Amino acid sequence: MRLDKFLGQFDIGTRKQIKEYLKNGRCSVNGTVVTKPDIHVDENTDEISFDGNVLEYSKYHYYMLYKPQGVVSATTDGRNTTVLDLLQDENAKGLSPAGRLDIDTEGLLLLTDDGGLIHRLLSPKKHVDKVYEVHLDHELSDKDIAALEKGVNIGDTKDTGEIDYTLPARVELWDADEEGRPVVHLIIHEGRFHQVKRMMEAVGNEVLFLKRLSMGPLKLDESLVPGEYRPLSAEELKQLGV
Ligand code: URA
């Protein structure tokens, strides 16, 4: 592939900046400084360094998206904008979201073509923590909190016909939003359909705004604005065990 395309896969800069960095002699291929963006490199055998650090090529791509409201967590959709439509990047092909957020939910969404990681994050057996900021219609009582933390009936049944209560969750009382509505953080370890909304409904409340703040070790980068994305950093990849 072209050298600038290769470099574009790392968190180095835009194509334009990369061209400038190359001109400044910051990149070398197999020990020789290379200044042209269009030379071809073999990502599997060439040793490519930037500022003296060898860049390890990964065949997978990982992006953090701040999903905005009004966009669906699907790869294709006849009607609505999808999260993939937001990625103005040639690497977007083949990416999938790790789990879904409702169209009116915003926040952290990981997009990747690493199916193994998606499986590890979503597998019900792994119980990966997800933290949601939840704006509610009215305050939760102590009884509501106790019920949510123990497990509530959200209308799901097991194969045996028994009620499939949600797993124990954690509620952290937070604050109120600008409109005075109570805000809590809800930490859950599973990912059932509309889970947060149905849990709050089970205790007679209503979710008015929902935002995912984290998934396992991955935290929403609050410097992104809704609709923006960036590649995961080396540290984040390490935390995810990639
Ligand atoms: N729970 C919900 O109800 N909706 C989401 O988008 C995510 C979790």
Side-chain angles (χ1 to χ4, degrees), residues 100-106 132 188 192-198 207 210 212:
R100 285 170 182 251
L101 293 176
D102 298 335
I103 191 161
D104 57 353
T105 300
E106 63 178 57
Y132 289 91
I188 58 174
R192 304 193 204 178
F193 183 62
H194 294 331
Q195 181 159 349
V196 176
K197 291 173 186 160
R198 288 158 74 208
V207 173
L210 187 58
R212 182 153 67 193

PDB file of all heavy atoms in Angstrom, residues 100-106 132 188 192-198 207 210 212, ligand 1:
ATOM      1  N   ARG A 100     -25.216  -2.239  20.181  1.00  0.00           N
ATOM      2  CA  ARG A 100     -26.080  -1.204  19.610  1.00  0.00           C
ATOM      3  C   ARG A 100     -26.524  -0.200  20.652  1.00  0.00           C
ATOM      4  O   ARG A 100     -26.730  -0.554  21.802  1.00  0.00           O
ATOM      5  CB  ARG A 100     -27.350  -1.870  19.048  1.00  0.00           C
ATOM      6  CG  ARG A 100     -27.074  -2.574  17.757  1.00  0.00           C
ATOM      7  CD  ARG A 100     -28.237  -3.426  17.307  1.00  0.00           C
ATOM      8  NE  ARG A 100     -27.828  -4.085  16.067  1.00  0.00           N
ATOM      9  CZ  ARG A 100     -28.300  -3.783  14.874  1.00  0.00           C
ATOM     10  NH1 ARG A 100     -29.222  -2.870  14.741  1.00  0.00           N
ATOM     11  NH2 ARG A 100     -27.854  -4.406  13.804  1.00  0.00           N
ATOM     12  N   LEU A 101     -26.664   1.024  20.193  1.00  0.00           N
ATOM     13  CA  LEU A 101     -27.322   2.039  21.014  1.00  0.00           C
ATOM     14  C   LEU A 101     -28.584   2.422  20.252  1.00  0.00           C
ATOM     15  O   LEU A 101     -28.573   2.469  19.010  1.00  0.00           O
ATOM     16  CB  LEU A 101     -26.420   3.265  21.187  1.00  0.00           C
ATOM     17  CG  LEU A 101     -25.140   3.074  22.011  1.00  0.00           C
ATOM     18  CD1 LEU A 101     -24.302   4.353  22.011  1.00  0.00           C
ATOM     19  CD2 LEU A 101     -25.455   2.651  23.441  1.00  0.00           C
ATOM     20  N   ASP A 102     -29.642   2.727  20.978  1.00  0.00           N
ATOM     21  CA  ASP A 102     -30.888   3.123  20.318  1.00  0.00           C
ATOM     22  C   ASP A 102     -30.674   4.401  19.519  1.00  0.00           C
ATOM     23  O   ASP A 102     -29.748   5.174  19.801  1.00  0.00           O
ATOM     24  CB  ASP A 102     -31.987   3.392  21.362  1.00  0.00           C
ATOM     25  CG  ASP A 102     -32.301   2.152  22.174  1.00  0.00           C
ATOM     26  OD1 ASP A 102     -32.068   1.046  21.678  1.00  0.00           O
ATOM     27  OD2 ASP A 102     -32.774   2.323  23.321  1.00  0.00           O
ATOM     28  N   ILE A 103     -31.580   4.661  18.589  1.00  0.00           N
ATOM     29  CA  ILE A 103     -31.437   5.856  17.737  1.00  0.00           C
ATOM     30  C   ILE A 103     -31.409   7.138  18.585  1.00  0.00           C
ATOM     31  O   ILE A 103     -30.677   8.087  18.261  1.00  0.00           O
ATOM     32  CB  ILE A 103     -32.543   5.888  16.651  1.00  0.00           C
ATOM     33  CG1 ILE A 103     -32.242   6.969  15.621  1.00  0.00           C
ATOM     34  CG2 ILE A 103     -33.932   6.024  17.230  1.00  0.00           C
ATOM     35  CD1 ILE A 103     -32.968   6.810  14.296  1.00  0.00           C
ATOM     36  N   ASP A 104     -32.137   7.155  19.696  1.00  0.00           N
ATOM     37  CA  ASP A 104     -32.156   8.379  20.521  1.00  0.00           C
ATOM     38  C   ASP A 104     -31.137   8.340  21.665  1.00  0.00           C
ATOM     39  O   ASP A 104     -31.160   9.193  22.544  1.00  0.00           O
ATOM     40  CB  ASP A 104     -33.573   8.635  21.068  1.00  0.00           C
ATOM     41  CG  ASP A 104     -34.109   7.466  21.874  1.00  0.00           C
ATOM     42  OD1 ASP A 104     -33.461   6.400  21.912  1.00  0.00           O
ATOM     43  OD2 ASP A 104     -35.188   7.620  22.482  1.00  0.00           O
ATOM     44  N   THR A 105     -30.257   7.351  21.669  1.00  0.00           N
ATOM     45  CA  THR A 105     -29.188   7.280  22.688  1.00  0.00           C
ATOM     46  C   THR A 105     -27.915   7.819  22.064  1.00  0.00           C
ATOM     47  O   THR A 105     -27.640   7.559  20.890  1.00  0.00           O
ATOM     48  CB  THR A 105     -28.956   5.819  23.125  1.00  0.00           C
ATOM     49  OG1 THR A 105     -30.159   5.304  23.674  1.00  0.00           O
ATOM     50  CG2 THR A 105     -27.851   5.720  24.169  1.00  0.00           C
ATOM     51  N   GLU A 106     -27.128   8.546  22.857  1.00  0.00           N
ATOM     52  CA  GLU A 106     -25.835   8.994  22.352  1.00  0.00           C
ATOM     53  C   GLU A 106     -24.710   8.406  23.192  1.00  0.00           C
ATOM     54  O   GLU A 106     -24.943   7.726  24.181  1.00  0.00           O
ATOM     55  CB  GLU A 106     -25.762  10.523  22.327  1.00  0.00           C
ATOM     56  CG  GLU A 106     -25.866  11.198  23.678  1.00  0.00           C
ATOM     57  CD  GLU A 106     -25.721  12.726  23.550  1.00  0.00           C
ATOM     58  OE1 GLU A 106     -26.500  13.360  22.813  1.00  0.00           O
ATOM     59  OE2 GLU A 106     -24.803  13.273  24.197  1.00  0.00           O
ATOM     60  N   TYR A 132     -23.919   4.047  32.022  1.00  0.00           N
ATOM     61  CA  TYR A 132     -24.823   4.966  31.314  1.00  0.00           C
ATOM     62  C   TYR A 132     -25.149   6.171  32.188  1.00  0.00           C
ATOM     63  O   TYR A 132     -25.359   6.022  33.399  1.00  0.00           O
ATOM     64  CB  TYR A 132     -26.141   4.261  30.976  1.00  0.00           C
ATOM     65  CG  TYR A 132     -25.993   3.220  29.897  1.00  0.00           C
ATOM     66  CD1 TYR A 132     -25.720   1.897  30.211  1.00  0.00           C
ATOM     67  CD2 TYR A 132     -26.106   3.576  28.561  1.00  0.00           C
ATOM     68  CE1 TYR A 132     -25.569   0.941  29.223  1.00  0.00           C
ATOM     69  CE2 TYR A 132     -25.962   2.619  27.557  1.00  0.00           C
ATOM     70  CZ  TYR A 132     -25.693   1.312  27.894  1.00  0.00           C
ATOM     71  OH  TYR A 132     -25.541   0.384  26.905  1.00  0.00           O
ATOM     72  N   ILE A 188     -24.394  -1.488  34.320  1.00  0.00           N
ATOM     73  CA  ILE A 188     -24.978  -2.814  34.077  1.00  0.00           C
ATOM     74  C   ILE A 188     -23.923  -3.718  33.444  1.00  0.00           C
ATOM     75  O   ILE A 188     -22.927  -3.245  32.914  1.00  0.00           O
ATOM     76  CB  ILE A 188     -26.257  -2.739  33.193  1.00  0.00           C
ATOM     77  CG1 ILE A 188     -25.962  -2.080  31.835  1.00  0.00           C
ATOM     78  CG2 ILE A 188     -27.374  -2.010  33.913  1.00  0.00           C
ATOM     79  CD1 ILE A 188     -27.152  -2.122  30.875  1.00  0.00           C
ATOM     80  N   ARG A 192     -29.146  -6.192  27.141  1.00  0.00           N
ATOM     81  CA  ARG A 192     -30.415  -6.603  26.534  1.00  0.00           C
ATOM     82  C   ARG A 192     -31.043  -5.418  25.800  1.00  0.00           C
ATOM     83  O   ARG A 192     -30.743  -4.261  26.102  1.00  0.00           O
ATOM     84  CB  ARG A 192     -31.373  -7.084  27.618  1.00  0.00           C
ATOM     85  CG  ARG A 192     -30.794  -8.216  28.457  1.00  0.00           C
ATOM     86  CD  ARG A 192     -31.902  -8.837  29.266  1.00  0.00           C
ATOM     87  NE  ARG A 192     -31.393  -9.494  30.447  1.00  0.00           N
ATOM     88  CZ  ARG A 192     -32.177 -10.079  31.339  1.00  0.00           C
ATOM     89  NH1 ARG A 192     -33.499 -10.058  31.180  1.00  0.00           N
ATOM     90  NH2 ARG A 192     -31.656 -10.666  32.399  1.00  0.00           N
ATOM     91  N   PHE A 193     -31.950  -5.760  24.903  1.00  0.00           N
ATOM     92  CA  PHE A 193     -32.628  -4.762  24.071  1.00  0.00           C
ATOM     93  C   PHE A 193     -33.288  -3.686  24.959  1.00  0.00           C
ATOM     94  O   PHE A 193     -34.043  -4.033  25.873  1.00  0.00           O
ATOM     95  CB  PHE A 193     -33.656  -5.520  23.227  1.00  0.00           C
ATOM     96  CG  PHE A 193     -34.401  -4.682  22.245  1.00  0.00           C
ATOM     97  CD1 PHE A 193     -33.733  -4.036  21.219  1.00  0.00           C
ATOM     98  CD2 PHE A 193     -35.781  -4.556  22.340  1.00  0.00           C
ATOM     99  CE1 PHE A 193     -34.422  -3.266  20.304  1.00  0.00           C
ATOM    100  CE2 PHE A 193     -36.486  -3.793  21.425  1.00  0.00           C
ATOM    101  CZ  PHE A 193     -35.793  -3.149  20.416  1.00  0.00           C
ATOM    102  N   HIS A 194     -33.008  -2.426  24.681  1.00  0.00           N
ATOM    103  CA  HIS A 194     -33.583  -1.300  25.442  1.00  0.00           C
ATOM    104  C   HIS A 194     -33.434  -1.492  26.949  1.00  0.00           C
ATOM    105  O   HIS A 194     -34.340  -1.122  27.724  1.00  0.00           O
ATOM    106  CB  HIS A 194     -35.092  -1.135  25.153  1.00  0.00           C
ATOM    107  CG  HIS A 194     -35.425  -0.730  23.740  1.00  0.00           C
ATOM    108  ND1 HIS A 194     -34.591   0.015  22.942  1.00  0.00           N
ATOM    109  CD2 HIS A 194     -36.538  -0.976  22.994  1.00  0.00           C
ATOM    110  CE1 HIS A 194     -35.170   0.214  21.774  1.00  0.00           C
ATOM    111  NE2 HIS A 194     -36.340  -0.380  21.775  1.00  0.00           N
ATOM    112  N   GLN A 195     -32.330  -2.084  27.365  1.00  0.00           N
ATOM    113  CA  GLN A 195     -32.248  -2.513  28.764  1.00  0.00           C
ATOM    114  C   GLN A 195     -32.426  -1.395  29.782  1.00  0.00           C
ATOM    115  O   GLN A 195     -33.182  -1.541  30.750  1.00  0.00           O
ATOM    116  CB  GLN A 195     -30.923  -3.233  29.032  1.00  0.00           C
ATOM    117  CG  GLN A 195     -30.852  -3.700  30.483  1.00  0.00           C
ATOM    118  CD  GLN A 195     -29.879  -4.806  30.706  1.00  0.00           C
ATOM    119  OE1 GLN A 195     -29.369  -5.387  29.766  1.00  0.00           O
ATOM    120  NE2 GLN A 195     -29.615  -5.109  31.963  1.00  0.00           N
ATOM    121  N   VAL A 196     -31.735  -0.298  29.584  1.00  0.00           N
ATOM    122  CA  VAL A 196     -31.799   0.771  30.594  1.00  0.00           C
ATOM    123  C   VAL A 196     -33.226   1.334  30.665  1.00  0.00           C
ATOM    124  O   VAL A 196     -33.794   1.510  31.750  1.00  0.00           O
ATOM    125  CB  VAL A 196     -30.768   1.882  30.276  1.00  0.00           C
ATOM    126  CG1 VAL A 196     -30.898   3.032  31.257  1.00  0.00           C
ATOM    127  CG2 VAL A 196     -29.348   1.322  30.295  1.00  0.00           C
ATOM    128  N   LYS A 197     -33.799   1.571  29.499  1.00  0.00           N
ATOM    129  CA  LYS A 197     -35.159   2.141  29.481  1.00  0.00           C
ATOM    130  C   LYS A 197     -36.151   1.181  30.149  1.00  0.00           C
ATOM    131  O   LYS A 197     -37.018   1.602  30.919  1.00  0.00           O
ATOM    132  CB  LYS A 197     -35.600   2.410  28.043  1.00  0.00           C
ATOM    133  CG  LYS A 197     -34.817   3.552  27.396  1.00  0.00           C
ATOM    134  CD  LYS A 197     -35.159   3.683  25.925  1.00  0.00           C
ATOM    135  CE  LYS A 197     -34.279   4.704  25.247  1.00  0.00           C
ATOM    136  NZ  LYS A 197     -34.239   4.553  23.791  1.00  0.00           N
ATOM    137  N   ARG A 198     -35.991  -0.109  29.857  1.00  0.00           N
ATOM    138  CA  ARG A 198     -36.924  -1.087  30.441  1.00  0.00           C
ATOM    139  C   ARG A 198     -36.687  -1.253  31.941  1.00  0.00           C
ATOM    140  O   ARG A 198     -37.627  -1.496  32.693  1.00  0.00           O
ATOM    141  CB  ARG A 198     -36.809  -2.422  29.715  1.00  0.00           C
ATOM    142  CG  ARG A 198     -37.413  -2.349  28.295  1.00  0.00           C
ATOM    143  CD  ARG A 198     -36.857  -3.425  27.404  1.00  0.00           C
ATOM    144  NE  ARG A 198     -37.386  -4.732  27.713  1.00  0.00           N
ATOM    145  CZ  ARG A 198     -36.718  -5.863  27.492  1.00  0.00           C
ATOM    146  NH1 ARG A 198     -35.496  -5.841  27.001  1.00  0.00           N
ATOM    147  NH2 ARG A 198     -37.260  -7.022  27.770  1.00  0.00           N
ATOM    148  N   VAL A 207     -36.925   7.156  31.106  1.00  0.00           N
ATOM    149  CA  VAL A 207     -35.640   7.719  30.677  1.00  0.00           C
ATOM    150  C   VAL A 207     -35.927   8.837  29.675  1.00  0.00           C
ATOM    151  O   VAL A 207     -36.575   8.612  28.656  1.00  0.00           O
ATOM    152  CB  VAL A 207     -34.760   6.631  30.014  1.00  0.00           C
ATOM    153  CG1 VAL A 207     -33.505   7.242  29.412  1.00  0.00           C
ATOM    154  CG2 VAL A 207     -34.401   5.544  31.019  1.00  0.00           C
ATOM    155  N   LEU A 210     -30.352   9.511  27.359  1.00  0.00           N
ATOM    156  CA  LEU A 210     -29.463   8.399  27.701  1.00  0.00           C
ATOM    157  C   LEU A 210     -28.155   8.536  26.941  1.00  0.00           C
ATOM    158  O   LEU A 210     -28.148   8.797  25.726  1.00  0.00           O
ATOM    159  CB  LEU A 210     -30.164   7.087  27.307  1.00  0.00           C
ATOM    160  CG  LEU A 210     -29.497   5.776  27.723  1.00  0.00           C
ATOM    161  CD1 LEU A 210     -29.311   5.706  29.231  1.00  0.00           C
ATOM    162  CD2 LEU A 210     -30.355   4.595  27.265  1.00  0.00           C
ATOM    163  N   ARG A 212     -24.142   6.658  26.745  1.00  0.00           N
ATOM    164  CA  ARG A 212     -23.209   5.642  27.254  1.00  0.00           C
ATOM    165  C   ARG A 212     -21.849   6.290  27.487  1.00  0.00           C
ATOM    166  O   ARG A 212     -21.297   6.943  26.601  1.00  0.00           O
ATOM    167  CB  ARG A 212     -23.066   4.476  26.281  1.00  0.00           C
ATOM    168  CG  ARG A 212     -22.122   3.420  26.872  1.00  0.00           C
ATOM    169  CD  ARG A 212     -22.375   2.042  26.375  1.00  0.00           C
ATOM    170  NE  ARG A 212     -22.069   1.922  24.967  1.00  0.00           N
ATOM    171  CZ  ARG A 212     -22.435   0.890  24.226  1.00  0.00           C
ATOM    172  NH1 ARG A 212     -23.151  -0.085  24.750  1.00  0.00           N
ATOM    173  NH2 ARG A 212     -22.104   0.821  22.961  1.00  0.00           N
TER     174      ARG A 212
HETATM  175  N1  URA B   1     -30.295   0.689  27.098  1.00  0.00           N
HETATM  176  C1  URA B   1     -31.261   1.295  26.393  1.00  0.00           C
HETATM  177  O1  URA B   1     -32.411   1.299  26.798  1.00  0.00           O
HETATM  178  N2  URA B   1     -30.927   1.895  25.226  1.00  0.00           N
HETATM  179  C2  URA B   1     -29.657   1.944  24.760  1.00  0.00           C
HETATM  180  O2  URA B   1     -29.414   2.529  23.705  1.00  0.00           O
HETATM  181  C3  URA B   1     -28.664   1.326  25.506  1.00  0.00           C
HETATM  182  C4  URA B   1     -28.988   0.695  26.666  1.00  0.00           C
END
